[in-house]
Amino acid sequence: MSEKNSKNIVPCLLWVKQGCAKQKPDKVSLDKDELKKIIQRTQEKLDGVEDDSDDALDEASAPEKEEGENNDEFAKAVQKAKNMAASIKKKAAAESKKAEKRKRAGEEEEEDDIVDKYGLEDYDDDESPMDFLQGIGGLTPFASNEEDPYITLKDDADSDDEDFELKPSDNLIALGRVTEEAAILEVHIYNAEQSNLFIHHDYVLPTFPLVLEWLDYDVADGQTGNFVAMGTMEPDISLWDLDVVDSLEPVSILEGVKPIKKKKKMKKKETLSTGHSDAVLDLSWNRHVRNVLASASADQTVRLWDLAEGKTASTLTHHSQQVQCVAWHPVESQSLLTGSFDKRNNLYIPICVCPQASTDQGNLYCVDIRQDKPVYTLSAHEQAVTGLSFSSQIPGLVVTTSPDKHFKVWDVQGNKPSLVLSRKLHMDILHCVSCNPDEPFVFAVGANKDFKVWDIRESAAVRRHFLDRMPSKLAAECEGDDEDLLEDAAAAAMENLNMDDEDAAEEEEMLAGDRPVAKASGEGNQALKAKKKKKKKKKKGGAEG
């Protein structure tokens, strides 16, 4: 398969704050006893399935108990069949033992032939033993590669250990990846000081990942840890310990409702659902009440999970279509915001807030629930807004992504939004974006073609626009950049040569920050449309003249 057609989708990702992960993650190693227990548990499950099948078969084929004689004959036939099956199993086991014995005997004979052929019994009695000080063929041996002056590439064990251990300045990036071969949860290391980015470890997944949410709550004992909750195309929610390498399964699963076969009669206790019945589309962990996790699902519900109990504590059914997103208020622990395909945002246990909301039409809204109309409406993209992330430290800095393949940087401070940067990343459809919690200008983007980590200060427009809001350390790093601002601006202009003249002119104005893109309640968008029409009329008139 060609590289162009190969699948390499990153639908979800998140950052882990510095210092939250173990300096030296744990490695999973199974000894023989543990492996034996796993095999035994699996066998017991298989036996249980087989027993259930036998019971169902007996129940389906059993005649009605009207004549005792027929029942006795049927019971004898069943018993005879079981005896025959047991006899076959016994014979098969005996044949297997005999084959094993023959195999061992053959191996012992083969070993004896090798010993006799090469005289290995007299090997230690050689009259002229090799002088190992002289090496083999005149080559002088050394205890290690470090002692051999002729070997320039030394042992890289120390280097591997150094890469495995985490530094205090390291961030983790957890991301879901889907390729032609498998679905994977990957954990990457990012170090801004050393400009390093590499994969640390990964986990194989059974299904397509949709959303990740970080949490520090250990479901085993309530202590702090380093975990991610994952929502997938299945109704289950899996919890993974990022501090454990080579794990074969999640530490816990918040189980959804499995589909029940139509032929099987549903019991009353099975009607009491304990989880979702469809794909989990979004997750949000309550940082103030650490054992609470909220989940949004395609089954049109929002569930609040008690992680200590591993079950649903409450179910919200206020939406009429799939619930696409959910988020806890950053300060008010009792307030939850939800968004749905029914085109409604609901604030559960309401307070006055001004959240940013995006739509599948490419619009971005700022909403104050104390007002009837949005504070402003921004036409951010030509297609749906699939990713929205605020800077972790810079007030007013917002980044959006879209299937239109554009990555855009906005300044929304003072409720007067303006476009600072628009860049086509050449990664096909952009699915998600997230800001580094420790580096306010570093964003990770997931797309149809892999993922990218980008320090947007590489853009002169971004540096110039947000310089006065940068922390002193970051501002100091940008000192002396004034000379290359013109060069960067020229490079950005070259990237826009493929645009229409009118669009290029408007883009240039936006990048310069000379005018807002939109004003409150969409007035700016209407002004833009009027301006475009006016330009087109002038252009048309000039051509006719």
Side-chain angles (χ1 to χ4, degrees):
M1 181 177 293
S2 65
E3 184 177 352
K4 182 180 292 186
N5 297 326
S6 62
K7 183 188 295 185
N8 189 11
I9 304 173
V10 178
C12 54
L13 52 77
L14 59 80
W15 291 88
V16 178
K17 192 175 177 64
Q18 294 174 0
C20 292
K22 283 186 178 180
Q23 181 178 355
K24 190 171 184 180
D26 300 324
K27 288 186 177 181
V28 173
S29 59
L30 296 176
D31 56 28
K32 292 183 179 180
D33 293 336
E34 291 173 331
L35 187 59
K36 184 177 179 181
K37 290 179 181 178
I38 293 176
I39 295 175
Q40 185 176 357
R41 286 200 301 267
T42 305
Q43 186 61 47
E44 289 175 355
K45 291 181 180 179
L46 293 175
D47 292 342
V49 172
E50 185 178 351
D51 291 342
D52 292 340
S53 300
D54 292 340
D55 294 341
L57 180 61
D58 293 343
E59 183 178 351
S61 58
E64 296 181 358
K65 297 182 179 180
E66 295 179 353
E67 299 179 3
E69 185 176 345
N70 291 337
N71 289 335
D72 292 340
E73 291 179 0
F74 179 78
K76 290 179 181 178
V78 171
Q79 185 61 42
K80 184 177 180 180
K82 289 182 177 180
N83 292 338
M84 290 177 63
S87 177
I88 293 172
K89 288 182 179 180
K90 187 175 181 180
K91 289 181 179 180
E95 289 295 332
S96 178
K97 288 183 179 180
K98 289 181 181 179
E100 185 66 24
K101 286 183 179 180
R102 288 194 296 268
K103 182 179 179 181
R104 289 179 181 176
E107 290 175 352
E108 291 176 358
E109 291 177 1
E110 185 178 356
E111 289 179 3
D112 293 339
D113 292 341
I114 293 174
V115 170
D116 294 338
K117 182 176 181 179
Y118 295 100
L120 297 181
E121 289 185 352
D122 301 329
Y123 180 80
D124 294 334
D125 299 332
D126 196 338
E127 295 180 357
S128 56
M130 181 181 296
D131 185 359
F132 288 100
L133 295 178
Q134 297 299 323
I136 300 175
L139 298 178
T140 304
F142 293 89
S144 67
N145 289 344
E146 294 292 337
E147 298 179 6
D148 193 338
Y150 297 99
I151 296 181
T152 57
L153 297 176
K154 308 300 182 181
D155 294 334
D156 58 354
D158 293 340
S159 176
D160 292 341
D161 291 341
E162 183 178 354
D163 289 341
F164 183 76
E165 294 187 9
L166 304 184
K167 300 179 179 62
S169 56
D170 283 341
N171 286 107
L172 300 186
I173 305 176
L175 60 91
R177 185 189 298 276
V178 179
T179 66
E180 293 290 344
E181 293 78 18
I184 310 166
L185 171 60
E186 296 180 352
V187 180
H188 293 251
I189 303 297
Y190 174 79
N191 190 291
E193 295 178 356
Q194 301 177 356
S195 300
N196 285 342
L197 176 64
F198 59 91
I199 187 170
H200 189 268
H201 60 280
D202 57 27
Y203 314 92
V204 178
L205 303 174
T207 186
F208 195 108
L210 295 178
V211 61
L212 295 173
E213 173 73 347
W214 184 83
L215 61 155
D216 74 2
Y217 185 84
D218 190 339
V219 295
D221 53 15
Q223 299 297 315
T224 57
N226 180 24
F227 302 88
V228 291
M230 175 185 293
T232 69
M233 297 296 291
E234 302 296 328
D236 295 339
I237 301 171
S238 56
L239 302 178
W240 295 84
D241 189 344
L242 298 184
D243 287 336
V244 177
V245 179
D246 299 332
S247 177
L248 301 178
E249 55 186 2
V251 295
S252 180
I253 297 178
L254 305 176
E255 294 185 351
V257 179
K258 303 298 186 294
I260 301 174
K261 296 180 180 179
K262 294 181 179 180
K263 294 182 179 180
K264 185 178 178 182
K265 293 182 179 180
M266 186 183 296
K267 300 178 182 179
K268 288 185 177 181
K269 64 179 181 179
E270 292 172 334
T271 64
L272 300 176
S273 62
T274 58
H276 289 295
S277 58
D278 208 335
V280 177
L281 305 181
D282 199 15
L283 297 166
S284 182
W285 173 55
N286 194 318
R287 284 164 170 74
H288 303 284
V289 186
R290 294 176 50 252
N291 65 309
V292 175
L293 178 72
S295 59
S297 173
D299 64 9
Q300 305 180 14
T301 69
V302 174
R303 292 185 178 270
L304 307 183
W305 296 86
D306 183 350
L307 298 177
E309 299 292 334
K311 62 183 182 181
T312 300
S314 180
T315 303
L316 310 180
T317 58
H318 52 282
H319 286 294
S320 59
Q321 294 189 33
Q322 298 95 326
V323 187
Q324 188 177 17
C325 53
V326 61
W328 289 103
H329 193 282
V331 178
E332 300 291 339
S333 61
Q334 75 278 14
S335 299
L336 182 69
L337 184 67
T338 63
S340 168
F341 282 92
D342 60 14
K343 300 181 180 179
R344 290 190 303 162
N345 279 349
N346 285 21
L347 187 63
Y348 189 70
I349 312 179
I351 61 169
C352 297
V353 293
C354 297
Q356 297 285 339
S358 59
T359 70
D360 59 356
Q361 302 299 317
N363 294 327
L364 187 67
Y365 299 89
C366 180
V367 182
D368 187 339
I369 63 172
R370 297 169 295 185
Q371 301 179 16
D372 295 333
K373 296 182 179 180
V375 177
Y376 62 77
T377 301
L378 175 64
S379 181
H381 290 273
E382 295 179 359
Q383 298 183 38
V385 178
T386 54
L388 187 155
S389 180
F390 281 84
S391 169
S392 56
Q393 300 175 32
I394 307 300
L397 196 164
V398 179
V399 167
T400 59
T401 56
S402 169
D404 66 11
K405 305 176 185 179
H406 281 80
F407 174 101
K408 296 188 177 183
V409 180
W410 305 88
D411 181 6
V412 298
Q413 192 173 45
N415 295 328
K416 297 179 180 179
S418 62
L419 180 63
V420 179
L421 175 69
S422 177
R423 185 67 58 84
K424 190 172 182 178
L425 296 186
H426 304 289
M427 299 168 65
D428 201 8
I429 294 175
L430 306 183
H431 294 294
C432 53
V433 61
S434 179
C435 182
N436 187 320
D438 301 288
E439 300 290 337
F441 288 97
V442 177
F443 289 82
V445 185
N448 259 13
K449 294 182 179 179
D450 213 338
F451 81 107
K452 178 184 180 69
V453 176
W454 186 25
D455 187 335
I456 60 175
R457 287 182 300 166
E458 293 179 5
S459 164
V462 171
R463 294 200 304 273
R464 179 171 58 245
H465 190 93
F466 293 103
L467 183 62
D468 60 344
R469 302 182 212 171
M470 292 184 188
S472 56
K473 179 182 177 182
L474 297 181
E477 293 175 0
C478 295
E479 289 182 1
D481 289 347
D482 296 341
E483 297 179 358
D484 67 337
L485 288 181
L486 294 177
E487 296 179 3
D488 289 349
M494 291 295 292
E495 292 184 358
N496 293 327
L497 287 179
N498 59 341
M499 303 171 62
D500 294 337
D501 292 340
E502 292 182 4
D503 293 336
E506 291 179 359
E507 188 77 10
E508 184 177 358
E509 291 181 16
M510 292 179 183
L511 289 174
D514 294 336
R515 63 176 174 83
V517 178
K519 295 182 179 180
S521 303
E523 294 177 1
N525 287 331
Q526 295 176 359
L528 279 177
K529 293 179 181 178
K531 187 175 181 181
K532 284 185 178 180
K533 290 181 179 178
K534 188 176 181 181
K535 284 185 177 180
K536 289 181 179 178
K537 288 180 179 179
K538 287 183 178 179
K539 187 174 182 181
K540 185 176 181 181
E544 292 175 351

